[in-house]
């Protein structure tokens, strides 16, 4: 299987690519859908960073800060009780403190590169919605989704209100069709 390495260094530039045709061809920090997170992290570290984001516990997230990595944080999703820690979704977060416009510009470029890389993808542009975590209704997510064979690549700019206290950020996530369906029905806390 051909493997591609997504390199989103601070400028989120894509390197030279060949055409990809499967979600497993796409990597974040060298990790892809179907890999075991145990190849990269200890069980202790994964358990320590387990998040309780959802009421439905079929899947759960793990967020690990990576101050010396390509991102400020990486996020994984695993099935409940999976002792192998098989990755069903992986993502990277890059902060854009006080500069959401720069996030939108980088997102636009990355979306263009994804279209080129996955020419058969079904792409939906810039869906803007209020973030459900902000009860004031002043925080927004601008997402794009690229549905490809076996999964989805999503990019998003998170524009948080001053009241919520989070840093604006860019996120890129790769996910299986199974977890993408679950995301659409899972309720957050």
């Amino acid at each position: 299987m051909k493997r591609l390495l997504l390199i989103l260094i601070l400028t989120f530039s894509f390197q030279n690519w060949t055409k990809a045709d499967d979600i497993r061809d796409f990597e974040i920090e060298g990790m892809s859908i179907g890999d075991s997170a145990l190849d990269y992290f200890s069980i202790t570290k994964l358990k320590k960073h387990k998040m309780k984001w959802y009421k439905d516990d079929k899947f759960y997230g793990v967020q690990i800060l990576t101050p010396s990595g390509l991102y400020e944080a990486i996020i994984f999703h695993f099935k409940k009780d999976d002792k192998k820690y098989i990755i069903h979704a992986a993502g990277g977060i890059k902060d854009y403190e006080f500069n959401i416009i720069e996030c939108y510009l980088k997102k636009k470029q990355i979306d263009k590169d994804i279209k080129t890389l996955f020419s058969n993808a079904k792409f939906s542009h810039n869906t803007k919605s209020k973030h459900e975590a902000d009860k004031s209704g002043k925080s927004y997510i601008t997402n794009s989704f690229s549905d490809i064979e076996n999964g989805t690549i999503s990019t998003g700019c998170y524009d948080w209100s001053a009241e919520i206290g989070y840093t604006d950020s860019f996120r890129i996530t790769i996910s299986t069709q199974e977890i993408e369906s679950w995301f659409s029905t899972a309720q957050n806390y």
Side-chain angles (χ1 to χ4, degrees), residues 33-172:
I33 300 301
D35 289 353
S36 171
L38 296 175
D39 292 339
Y40 308 97
F41 302 100
S42 69
I43 289 175
T44 303
K45 186 164 192 148
L46 293 171
K47 287 182 178 181
K48 179 180 178 184
H49 296 284
K50 183 176 180 178
M51 307 303 288
K52 297 196 186 272
W53 291 324
Y54 313 104
K55 291 179 184 177
D56 176 349
D57 66 351
K58 179 178 179 179
F59 291 94
Y60 66 92
V62 170
Q63 181 171 326
I64 299 174
L65 300 179
T66 56
S68 61
L70 302 175
Y71 306 98
E72 276 76 20
I74 51 176
I75 296 175
F76 304 101
H77 281 79
F78 309 105
K79 278 190 176 177
K80 176 184 175 184
D81 299 325
D82 177 6
K83 303 297 183 208
K84 294 182 180 181
Y85 290 86
I86 301 300
I87 299 169
H88 289 266
I93 301 172
K94 175 69 183 148
D95 290 339
Y96 276 89
E97 190 169 9
F98 310 116
N99 197 354
I100 195 66
I101 300 303
E102 185 67 23
C103 181
Y104 293 136
L105 293 172
K106 293 299 179 187
K107 180 186 172 309
K108 183 177 178 179
Q109 181 58 49
I110 291 168
D111 288 345
K112 181 180 172 187
D113 291 340
I114 290 170
K115 282 184 192 176
T116 300
L117 180 61
F118 295 96
S119 57
N120 293 328
K122 180 182 171 191
F123 188 78
S124 65
H125 258 331
N126 298 327
T127 304
K128 186 173 182 177
S129 59
K130 293 181 180 182
H131 197 292
E132 63 186 27
D134 184 354
K135 302 305 179 202
S136 75
K138 297 178 184 176
S139 297
Y140 292 90
I141 308 169
T142 302
N143 279 329
S144 296
F145 299 90
S146 299
D147 294 324
I148 61 173
E149 186 175 334
N150 302 326
T152 299
I153 302 170
S154 63
T155 60
C157 288
Y158 288 62
D159 186 4
W160 297 104
S161 69
E163 293 86 2
I164 198 116
Y166 296 150
T167 303
D168 294 345
S169 61
F170 170 83
R171 296 183 187 195
I172 186 164

